[in-house]
Amino acid sequence: MHKLKVFIVGIVINVCCIMTYAQNRVTGNVSDVNGESIIGASILEKGTTNGTVTDIDGNFTLNVSEGATLQISYIGYTTQEVVVTARPLTIILEEDTQTLDEVVVVAYGAQKKVTVTGAISSVSGNDLIKTPTGSIGNALAGKLTGVSTVQYSGEPGADAAEIYVRGVTTLNSSSPLVQVDGVERDFTQIDPNEIESITILKDASATAVFGVRGANGVILVTTKRGKEGKANISVTASTGITVPTRLLEFADSYQYASFYNEAQIRDGVNPNNVKFSPEMLTAFQTQSDPLLYPNMNWLDYILKDYAQQSQHNVNISGGNNFFRYFVSAGMYTQGGLFKTFDTGYDFNFDFKRYNYRANLDFNLSKSTELSLNIGGRVEDKNTPISAEDQNQLFRHLYWATPFSGAGIVDGKWIKTNPDVIPNPGSDGLNPYYGRGYNNKVGNTLNVDVQLKQKLDFITKGLSFNVKGSYNSSYAQTKSRSSSKAYYVAVKNDDGSMGYRKYGEDGTLGYGESFDKGRNWYFETSLNYNTTINSAHNLGALLLYNQSKYYYPGTFTDLPKGYVGMVGRLTYDYLSKYMIEFNMGYNGSENFAPGKRYGFFPAGSIGWVMTEEPFMEEIKNYVSYLKLRASYGVVGNDNTQDRRFMYIADPFYLNGSGYNFGTNVSGNRGGAYEGAKSNPDVTWEKAYKQNLGVDLYFLNDRLMTTFDIFKEHRRDILVVPSSLPSYIGMTLPVLNNGIVNSRGYEITLRWDDKIGNDFRYWISPNLSFARNKIVEQMEVRPNEDYLWRTGKPINQPFGRKFWGFYDETANERYKAQFGKDIADHSVVLKNGDAVYVDINEDGVINDDDKIAMGYTNVPEYVVGANMGFEWKGFDLSMQWTGAWNTSRMLQETLREPLGDTNNKGLLLYQYQDRWTEETASTAKLPRASITSKANNIVDSDLYLVDARYLRLKSLEVGYNFNAPFMTKMRLNSLRVYANGYNLLTFDVLKITDPESRTSDRPNYPLTRVFTVGLKLGF
């Protein structure tokens, strides 16, 4: 027994010796290239879950298998693999410039991307250049999460989209604050070749520093700067054409006349007394007499097939250790689509823009840097003078009837003879032809001077900054109005054609007007950044700013201004645990003394989980995981040009006057009372929450970002509507509005290579934002379903369409609802619209309207950026889509023949109308004049789905690498072709899904095709 025990103990000792022999104890130290110890670096035995992290001195100890390979990683550094040796390991990690040095622009500074805890999206200027549009805002569509754009117009020089950050969140203006190089400025007309990046700040932690200006989100535009090195010259030139994406289609003369006659007959007019006789119908069909019986497609007649567009830029950048520079000059031109018909002057739309910029940086000493930015543009814009204001040009064009004129014949403007066709309506030339033109030349100048002084002699990492900016704009508009004679065709007794002249050709008159604006901005700040024990990174910012704006929209003689303080504290431990606190303390002159300043705090935290030891075993699959959370309060003082709402009740002189006594001719002048004041009025407050996840897989080939957010907006300015109009008083503006918003954002990006030459990527994104009115001081409606409170902002309301009336309609309606069809205030005839009696009171009126559809601003916005590079070739495309958005068709798009029954008729209104033959497929009511009051009211008949998917931009290019380039001293040579708004898939079909369908239609949206050349020297 004793021998057995000795034998067992011997076996155990031998096994232990073998295990000790197989397990090597490895030690080592990890540092950076500067010799600084790296604390918390991950040490992992490859192919296992066996690992550890370095201590405060960068040292580690780990038992590993014989011949093991160690993987050493740390955020911001390139991962290394080292084979275990008997000696202690000395490992030096090199910075991964792609991750460590990647910074994003934030309010009043920049941060390393790995330490950002707020909700921020950004896009580079190189991506924006690929979209050939005149307005930078249009290029943002679908590129960034949290941003939705709606481009209503394609007018040259006036095609900027409306931009929303995380949707509409207030009953007042939801426009975001825009800053260019840290100063509030318009960015839509900047040359894209000047832009380094555009950053969108979305949550409270990112925007709280803007205080009363940040609640609607902030757009930060950063322009390019020179870098130390030899001079680089870039020359870009492109030219192309623009064409409308989609034009309205109108009925021709025969269809129009047939529709009109049918409407009269269905309304009870004797067929022998209809407006258009059989002879007229025949003439319209055969076009046997086009001067007396014209048949004009006016949009086709007055618009060209295409207009020209071009963009050119030359810039040079470079510098040395004392002076760095970026200097740029650019020109953009876009012609209009209108024909001028040899009037002797050009009244067509036309836009020319000349951009210039010089960003200069001087190192006055090792610790002092002076920066000077000079930028601006000159704009030259031409527009035709319209019959009414400029916003109604296309409205009047759409009113034109196809038989109202024959256009320009032998140099004469021919209108239809009313003796031949009674009341023919307005022709397509009348809104603008011969009326002259407006020419507006504007000059915008932006200047920044900034001094940065390091204060390392006080303490390392401390710096002082002072900045002053001046912005001015001036514009002169020359109005050259005129008139044009027109003719009507008259058939002479001998059968020949003569003309009767009306009016005279006028000479161009002259008038001018001026616009001006200027403002200044000043800020000074202290910045502090330091690293303690190579692990604790601390940053602080204390900033004072002040601004003044001259010639504001209201009370133009009184400047408006802002003053405020900004504070920021940031801390991270090993870029693993992060915390940030931001605050803005701002004052606005919109509010009463004692109520002008507010404190707006926000905080955020972040945690990079993949730097934890327990995540080591999955780092081959999940390479990066960061959790983010933020909460804060931000303000909004955008009162839509309402100022001084706190002062004593105002009154105004020289109103329309009053009538006193009897037998008094006319009113007598007097004063009238304005809206009541509110001394307690203040800004809106937005309480914002955000949770986010940044998750990268497979060595960062697949990158994802997910954010979910909520916002509670309160103290929104509203005007109570509880007083009846006969009281004669307007109640004051009150801070009683409340709106809640919520949503989420998802971004994916897959970036990979196949072989050495082929790289491809795809980056889809999805944004969702929805709002709900909680309080707006709404007067209680007659029915609960009429409440707009509880619905989204600008929720459409309308009657619920049931079907078209016929002999069996009442029986079918009663079978469905148990009641007869309600009184529609007209005698219903076959083909009339029948609406559901929502409140079952037997009468159809405004109390039977319900919420339906969605607003003009989409709730869902999707984008997809994809492309590839192969040797010298590359292709990139941007898809953009939107859904949960609707348009309520109005005026010409809804009402056949218009309100005067001699205006435009759309082709779909003719084709889709109810007839006995189309009763089962008709989409619109019967042709009628007397029943239009019933048939064209707001209803889901005219609420259309405006969802779409659009190929927003596409670029195909080739980068040459040939021997001749060396002889020409070319560093780069690129040829490319690109386009904008190339394909659209939608269900609307009548017009472009983004266009305005109200009574103020805009210039058509355009599709752009360009070819270009880029040279680098």
Side-chain angles (χ1 to χ4, degrees):
M1 186 61 130
H2 175 72
K3 293 181 179 180
L4 178 59
K5 290 181 180 179
V6 172
F7 177 73
I8 293 174
V9 170
I11 292 176
V12 171
I13 292 173
N14 279 279
V15 169
C16 291
C17 292
I18 293 172
M19 292 180 64
T20 303
Y21 176 78
Q23 289 282 328
N24 294 320
R25 181 183 176 89
V26 59
T27 61
N29 179 269
V30 180
S31 62
D32 60 17
V33 292
N34 297 318
E36 295 287 339
S37 299
I38 296 180
I39 307 169
S42 170
I43 314 297
L44 179 67
E45 182 180 354
K46 187 175 182 180
T48 72
T49 60
N50 179 35
T52 186
V53 293
T54 56
D55 61 20
I56 194 170
D57 297 317
N59 298 322
F60 69 90
T61 300
L62 183 65
N63 292 324
V64 297
S65 302
E66 184 179 4
T69 299
L70 297 184
Q71 290 179 326
I72 301 93
S73 62
Y74 187 70
I75 189 168
Y77 291 82
T78 302
T79 299
Q80 286 192 26
E81 292 188 358
V82 178
V83 177
V84 171
T85 64
R87 300 176 182 176
L89 299 176
T90 300
I91 300 161
I92 300 175
L93 293 183
E94 296 182 354
E95 294 179 352
D96 183 352
T97 57
Q98 186 174 356
T99 57
L100 185 65
D101 294 336
E102 186 176 0
V103 298
V104 294
V105 176
V106 297
Y108 306 111
Q111 288 183 0
K112 292 181 180 180
K113 187 174 181 179
V114 295
T115 63
V116 169
T117 53
I120 297 176
S121 300
S122 62
V123 61
S124 71
N126 292 332
D127 288 335
L128 298 173
I129 293 174
K130 297 177 181 179
T131 303
T133 176
S135 174
I136 291 298
N138 297 332
L140 296 179
K143 280 188 167 65
L144 299 168
T145 56
V147 177
S148 57
T149 65
V150 182
Q151 184 186 354
Y152 290 113
S153 174
E155 179 182 332
D159 60 348
E162 292 186 2
I163 302 176
Y164 303 92
V165 175
R166 291 186 164 175
V168 176
T169 54
T170 177
L171 300 170
N172 296 308
S173 173
S174 290
S175 299
L177 174 67
V178 178
Q179 289 192 342
V180 179
D181 290 331
V183 181
E184 184 178 4
R185 293 171 176 141
D186 176 53
F187 80 113
T188 58
Q189 298 299 333
I190 295 178
D191 188 333
N193 292 281
E194 300 175 3
I195 295 177
E196 180 69 28
S197 67
I198 293 181
T199 302
I200 312 296
L201 309 182
K202 297 177 284 190
D203 70 338
S205 70
T207 62
V209 292
F210 297 101
V212 295
R213 312 292 307 282
N216 294 335
V218 181
I219 299 176
L220 301 180
V221 181
T222 304
T223 60
K224 294 179 178 179
R225 312 202 70 81
K227 298 178 181 178
E228 189 172 334
K230 67 176 184 178
N232 293 307
I233 302 174
S234 177
V235 180
T236 305
S238 67
T239 184
I241 60 172
T242 66
V243 298
T245 57
R246 189 179 297 166
L247 294 174
L248 294 178
E249 295 185 67
F250 288 84
D252 62 27
S253 293
Y254 176 79
Q255 292 166 332
Y256 190 110
S258 300
F259 183 94
Y260 197 102
N261 285 353
E262 181 182 318
Q264 287 186 302
I265 293 172
R266 292 189 183 279
D267 290 341
V269 177
N270 190 309
N272 296 321
N273 297 327
V274 295
K275 180 176 180 177
F276 298 96
S277 66
E279 292 77 17
M280 298 168 69
L281 292 174
T282 301
F284 287 145
Q285 260 188 317
T286 62
Q287 278 297 282
S288 56
D289 199 343
L291 293 180
L292 292 179
Y293 302 97
N295 180 27
M296 298 293 290
N297 182 333
W298 286 113
L299 291 184
D300 184 63
Y301 183 75
I302 66 178
L303 298 181
K304 299 185 292 185
D305 293 333
Y306 64 89
Q308 291 185 325
Q309 173 177 307
S310 68
Q311 186 162 19
H312 310 278
N313 178 270
V314 178
N315 64 71
I316 180 172
S317 64
N320 52 38
N321 57 2
F322 169 72
F323 172 58
R324 298 175 303 282
Y325 55 90
F326 172 82
V327 180
S328 173
M331 180 178 72
Y332 173 82
T333 67
Q334 185 177 358
L337 291 166
F338 279 61
K339 300 173 184 176
T340 55
F341 302 105
D342 299 324
T343 53
Y345 56 87
D346 186 5
F347 57 80
N348 189 13
F349 287 91
D350 187 72
F351 179 67
K352 298 180 178 67
R353 185 185 70 214
Y354 307 91
N355 295 83
Y356 58 90
R357 177 165 297 279
N359 290 348
L360 312 176
D361 298 300
F362 303 87
N363 288 337
L364 302 182
S365 69
K366 292 182 178 180
S367 62
T368 307
E369 180 182 342
L370 176 67
S371 298
L372 173 65
N373 301 341
I374 302 175
R377 60 188 178 275
V378 176
E379 298 176 4
D380 188 344
K381 191 172 189 293
N382 213 65
T383 56
I385 293 178
S386 175
E388 288 191 62
D389 61 85
Q390 190 64 39
N391 292 329
Q392 300 196 58
L393 173 58
F394 276 86
R395 182 190 194 195
H396 284 262
L397 289 177
Y398 295 162
W399 285 353
T401 61
F403 45 74
S404 53
I408 308 299
V409 180
D410 298 329
K412 297 181 177 66
W413 177 12
I414 307 299
K415 290 189 177 183
T416 293
N417 190 336
D419 297 331
V420 177
I421 302 178
N423 195 17
S426 174
D427 74 338
L429 294 172
N430 185 67
Y432 72 96
Y433 179 69
R435 296 181 181 273
Y437 64 93
N438 292 320
N439 178 255
K440 181 177 182 179
V441 177
N443 188 355
T444 300
L445 173 66
N446 308 129
V447 179
D448 302 329
V449 179
Q450 186 172 21
L451 180 70
K452 298 179 181 178
Q453 176 64 56
K454 293 181 180 179
L455 302 177
D456 290 343
F457 62 91
I458 298 176
T459 183
K460 188 175 182 181
L462 182 66
S463 63
F464 170 76
N465 174 72
V466 61
K467 179 179 182 177
S469 300
Y470 177 79
N471 306 288
S472 71
S473 62
Y474 183 81
Q476 178 188 38
T477 301
K478 298 178 181 179
S479 295
R480 307 300 307 275
S481 60
S482 186
S483 61
K484 196 74 174 176
Y486 70 89
Y487 299 79
V488 297
V490 179
K491 183 167 284 191
N492 299 319
D493 294 338
D494 60 1
S496 64
M497 192 65 68
Y499 299 99
R500 187 183 302 134
K501 183 180 180 181
Y502 292 86
E504 298 292 334
D505 289 346
T507 58
L508 286 172
Y510 184 83
E512 61 182 7
S513 60
F514 303 91
D515 295 311
K516 58 184 177 180
R518 62 186 176 92
N519 64 80
W520 56 260
Y521 173 82
F522 170 80
E523 74 174 39
T524 183
S525 64
L526 284 172
N527 295 268
Y528 181 64
N529 292 281
T530 189
T531 299
I532 303 172
N533 295 330
S534 302
H536 305 274
N537 299 303
L538 181 66
L541 167 70
L542 181 64
L543 180 144
Y544 169 84
N545 58 17
Q546 187 173 351
S547 60
K548 183 164 285 190
Y549 299 83
Y550 298 87
Y551 320 118
T554 54
F555 297 100
T556 56
D557 293 335
L558 297 176
K560 67 176 183 178
Y562 295 94
V563 63
M565 295 287 294
V566 171
R568 177 188 293 131
L569 285 174
T570 63
Y571 168 79
D572 74 80
Y573 174 70
L574 301 174
S575 298
K576 182 192 302 185
Y577 310 112
M578 291 147 282
I579 186 169
E580 181 173 330
F581 176 76
N582 293 275
M583 75 89 180
Y585 183 74
N586 305 83
S588 171
E589 54 93 29
N590 275 340
F591 312 114
K595 299 181 181 294
R596 289 180 173 170
Y597 291 88
F599 178 67
F600 303 93
S604 60
I605 57 175
W607 177 25
V608 181
M609 289 183 63
T610 41
E611 293 306 303
E612 300 291 351
F614 61 80
M615 294 290 289
E616 292 297 334
E617 59 186 270
I618 63 170
K619 286 196 73 172
N620 288 334
Y621 308 100
V622 179
S623 49
Y624 184 76
L625 171 59
K626 178 165 71 174
L627 305 180
R628 298 175 281 108
S630 69
Y631 179 79
V633 185
V634 197
N636 177 30
D637 77 331
N638 191 331
T639 57
Q640 299 178 327
D641 283 336
R642 289 180 292 208
R643 300 180 69 193
F644 310 124
M645 295 170 285
Y646 59 87
I647 62 175
D649 298 346
F651 65 91
Y652 302 92
L653 301 175
N654 302 319
S656 57
Y658 301 88
N659 190 287
F660 295 96
T662 59
N663 299 321
V664 177
S665 60
N667 293 343
R668 295 294 182 262
Y672 67 96
E673 187 181 35
K676 304 292 287 184
S677 67
N678 177 8
D680 295 320
V681 68
T682 185
W683 47 78
E684 301 176 6
K685 300 176 185 66
Y687 298 82
K688 296 172 177 276
Q689 305 174 53
N690 192 93
L691 297 175
V693 178
D694 302 324
L695 188 57
Y696 302 170
F697 300 91
L698 305 175
N699 294 322
D700 297 352
R701 286 182 295 169
L702 175 61
M703 296 183 288
T704 68
T705 298
F706 176 77
D707 283 270
I708 184 170
F709 62 88
K710 290 178 62 178
E711 177 180 323
H712 176 68
R713 184 80 65 104
R714 58 177 299 176
D715 293 337
I716 300 173
L717 293 173
V718 294
V719 179
S721 54
S722 54
L723 283 183
S725 59
Y726 59 78
I727 296 296
M729 180 181 73
T730 302
L731 288 175
V733 176
L734 302 176
N735 291 106
N736 280 28
I738 301 174
V739 173
N740 286 339
S741 306
R742 61 183 176 86
Y744 59 84
E745 300 157 2
I746 305 172
T747 301
L748 302 174
R749 181 176 177 85
W750 175 266
D751 196 329
D752 200 8
K753 294 181 69 175
I754 300 176
N756 295 323
D757 298 324
F758 188 82
R759 172 179 171 253
Y760 67 99
W761 66 91
I762 178 170
S763 180
N765 64 75
L766 172 66
S767 301
F768 166 73
R770 176 174 293 168
N771 65 71
K772 183 177 75 171
I773 301 171
V774 178
E775 177 58 63
Q776 59 176 347
M777 300 196 72
E778 183 179 4
V779 177
R780 171 174 277 282
N782 294 334
E783 306 289 347
D784 286 342
Y785 53 79
L786 292 172
W787 281 108
R788 294 182 180 270
T789 303
K791 309 292 192 308
I793 299 170
N794 298 322
Q795 168 70 54
F797 276 73
R799 297 180 185 177
K800 178 64 178 175
F801 172 70
W802 175 77
F804 297 115
Y805 188 83
D806 61 16
E807 293 82 356
T808 67
N810 192 67
E811 181 181 340
R812 291 184 288 113
Y813 186 95
K814 191 171 185 179
Q816 183 175 349
F817 295 103
K819 292 189 176 184
D820 293 331
I821 292 175
D823 180 6
H824 282 56
S825 300
V826 297
V827 177
L828 293 176
K829 297 182 179 181
N830 290 351
D832 282 337
V834 177
Y835 305 104
V836 178
D837 185 10
I838 302 297
N839 61 359
E840 299 182 342
D841 65 350
V843 178
I844 298 297
N845 53 29
D846 285 346
D847 288 343
D848 295 298
K849 291 183 176 181
I850 60 173
M852 53 181 57
Y854 302 93
T855 69
N856 282 4
V857 180
E859 290 187 335
Y860 288 93
V861 177
V862 66
N865 177 26
M866 60 188 75
F868 71 85
E869 297 172 352
W870 180 68
K871 296 185 177 179
F873 291 97
D874 62 82
L875 179 147
S876 62
M877 65 177 70
Q878 175 69 44
W879 289 87
T880 303
W883 66 92
N884 279 19
T885 179
S886 305
R887 296 287 189 277
M888 181 67 81
L889 302 180
Q890 298 181 27
E891 206 170 75
T892 303
L893 285 84
R894 182 198 301 190
E895 184 175 2
L897 313 180
D899 58 339
T900 58
N901 298 315
N902 67 341
K903 293 179 179 177
L905 176 69
L906 290 173
L907 181 60
Y908 95 97
Q909 294 169 338
Y910 172 80
Q911 293 177 335
D912 293 346
R913 75 192 190 283
W914 183 96
T915 66
E916 287 77 6
E917 294 75 23
T918 64
S920 62
T921 60
K923 299 177 182 178
L924 296 175
R926 68 183 175 98
S928 173
I929 294 173
T930 60
S931 292
K932 285 203 296 183
N934 174 74
N935 290 339
I936 64 165
V937 296
D938 286 349
S939 73
D940 48 3
L941 261 178
Y942 306 104
L943 187 72
V944 293
D945 188 344
R947 59 182 166 173
Y948 67 89
L949 177 64
R950 173 169 276 163
L951 179 54
K952 201 67 175 179
S953 64
L954 171 70
E955 179 170 289
V956 180
Y958 182 74
N959 297 286
F960 287 87
N961 185 13
F964 72 88
M965 294 172 59
T966 303
K967 298 179 181 179
M968 298 177 64
R969 297 185 178 180
L970 281 173
N971 296 327
S972 62
L973 169 59
R974 174 177 172 78
V975 294
Y976 61 90
N978 57 26
Y980 175 68
N981 282 346
L982 296 179
L983 293 173
T984 302
F985 304 95
D986 66 302
V987 296
L988 179 54
K989 304 302 181 185
I990 304 168
T991 185
D992 191 280
E994 283 192 273
S995 62
R996 203 182 297 275
T997 58
S998 67
D999 59 358
R1000 294 295 187 273
N1002 297 101
Y1003 190 102
L1005 271 70
T1006 56
R1007 182 182 295 118
V1008 182
F1009 304 88
T1010 69
V1011 294
L1013 173 69
K1014 185 172 184 178
L1015 306 175
F1017 297 90

